[in-house]
Amino acid sequence: MHALDWHLVNSAEVEAWPARLLRPRASADARALARSRWCLRRKRDGRFLAALDDAGHLHALLPGLARERGVGEALAALHALHERAGEPLFLPLDGLLGHLAALGLDETYGERTGLPLVAEPARLEFAGFDRYRRPLWLLAPAARAWRRMQAAARDAGVALNAISGYRSHAYQLGIFERKLARGLTVDAILAVNAAPGYSEHHGGRAIDIGCPGEPPAEESFEATSAFAWLREQADGFGFAMSYPRDNPHGIVYEPWHWCWHPAG
């Protein structure tokens, strides 16, 4: 694979994944992806839309592809990948306010919590696999920092594994929709999940970290040798814990959530 093929190419409603990194459920999809370089996925539910081969031919993976919103925009972003290599690009925040309004929220949420709106990167780099063998996507410098940190921990006899990295606005909205369907209130969800558009995971710099034998995203992580190592060493790789106890954002203590910050 070409180096640029280890990227997720993002657009507002559709994202392009390297076909070899996807695990299709349907045999027809598997055959199409085996012959393809890229796969277009619908962001809100992960549905495979089309496969793109090395010759640039598009193969529909569902009926009515021509009516699918965002496909043209995704293809344009993919075709411009080589021209944009190395350029720090982020997607516009258009449309996000409608998602917030559907939850009864607006921009005053950010004012109350001190959380900024976070734009999605137009391109993310493959940073390895997470605990569940899913591709882990991060902003390129954050991906490199994570790999260095994970290797340094391993050399020190400490195993760090990723639980999750980049999440889209649409994915975060889905978390809210599923919890609302279970009967939780928006306020109860906001105690443990940032509103769509305000999660650090949207920017591709945040990573939830765990270790073998420890349940994911639990406060008990603070009692592990992995957490002790992170407290001592993570800063040297540009990572900081975002939500300590009594943080000013009103988010519960998350010893597993760390975010990479550019130097300076």
Side-chain angles (χ1 to χ4, degrees):
M1 294 176 72
H2 188 279
L4 287 177
D5 289 353
W6 293 101
H7 287 75
L8 182 155
V9 181
N10 208 358
S11 65
E13 298 183 75
V14 176
E15 56 196 15
W17 282 52
R20 298 181 198 183
L21 291 179
L22 287 166
R23 292 181 292 183
R25 295 187 180 94
S27 57
D29 288 352
R31 289 192 297 271
L33 294 186
R35 302 189 299 268
S36 300
R37 187 173 180 181
W38 296 94
C39 178
L40 302 186
R41 290 173 87 240
R42 189 190 290 145
K43 290 172 69 170
R44 69 175 184 269
D45 59 9
R47 177 70 185 270
F48 295 175
L49 302 176
L52 191 70
D53 63 23
D54 284 328
H57 299 134
L58 192 66
H59 306 277
L61 299 179
L62 84 172
L65 179 66
R67 298 188 299 275
E68 188 73 29
R69 291 171 49 183
V71 170
E73 182 184 355
L75 288 173
L78 190 56
H79 291 154
L81 177 60
H82 291 266
E83 300 164 16
R84 295 177 174 179
E87 185 179 346
L89 295 171
F90 289 85
L91 301 184
L93 290 163
D94 300 349
L96 179 61
L97 295 183
H99 291 317
L100 292 173
L103 297 173
L105 299 171
D106 57 25
E107 290 172 289
T108 59
Y109 168 81
E111 297 169 6
R112 294 195 309 272
T113 61
L115 294 171
L117 278 169
V118 180
E120 298 179 21
R123 189 171 52 255
L124 295 119
E125 184 171 302
F126 177 67
F129 292 96
D130 68 14
R131 172 184 292 193
Y132 310 103
R133 297 301 298 168
R134 300 173 304 193
L136 176 71
W137 299 108
L138 294 170
L139 200 63
R144 293 191 288 269
W146 162 247
R147 289 193 292 263
R148 289 194 301 269
M149 186 168 73
Q150 191 179 36
R154 185 168 55 247
D155 290 344
V158 175
L160 301 179
N161 55 41
I163 296 167
S164 66
Y166 163 74
R167 299 177 198 154
S168 69
H169 295 160
Y171 182 92
Q172 194 79 356
L173 181 63
I175 292 174
F176 275 72
E177 290 173 341
R178 289 189 292 273
K179 290 188 175 184
L180 287 169
R182 297 204 305 265
L184 276 70
T185 65
V186 169
D187 286 342
I189 302 169
L190 288 174
V192 293
N193 296 107
Y198 292 91
S199 170
E200 287 184 328
H201 285 285
H202 298 324
R205 295 187 297 109
I207 183 168
D208 291 340
I209 300 173
C211 59
E214 182 65 22
E218 294 287 346
E219 191 172 315
S220 57
F221 179 63
E222 72 171 353
T224 66
S225 59
F227 180 74
W229 188 91
L230 286 167
R231 288 292 297 268
E232 293 293 326
Q233 304 295 333
D235 181 66
F237 298 90
F239 284 90
M241 184 170 56
S242 298
Y243 306 119
R245 285 192 172 88
D246 302 317
N247 64 81
H249 308 298
I251 294 176
V252 295
Y253 174 46
E254 294 189 355
W256 61 85
H257 180 104
W258 296 73
C259 190
W260 178 82
H261 298 274

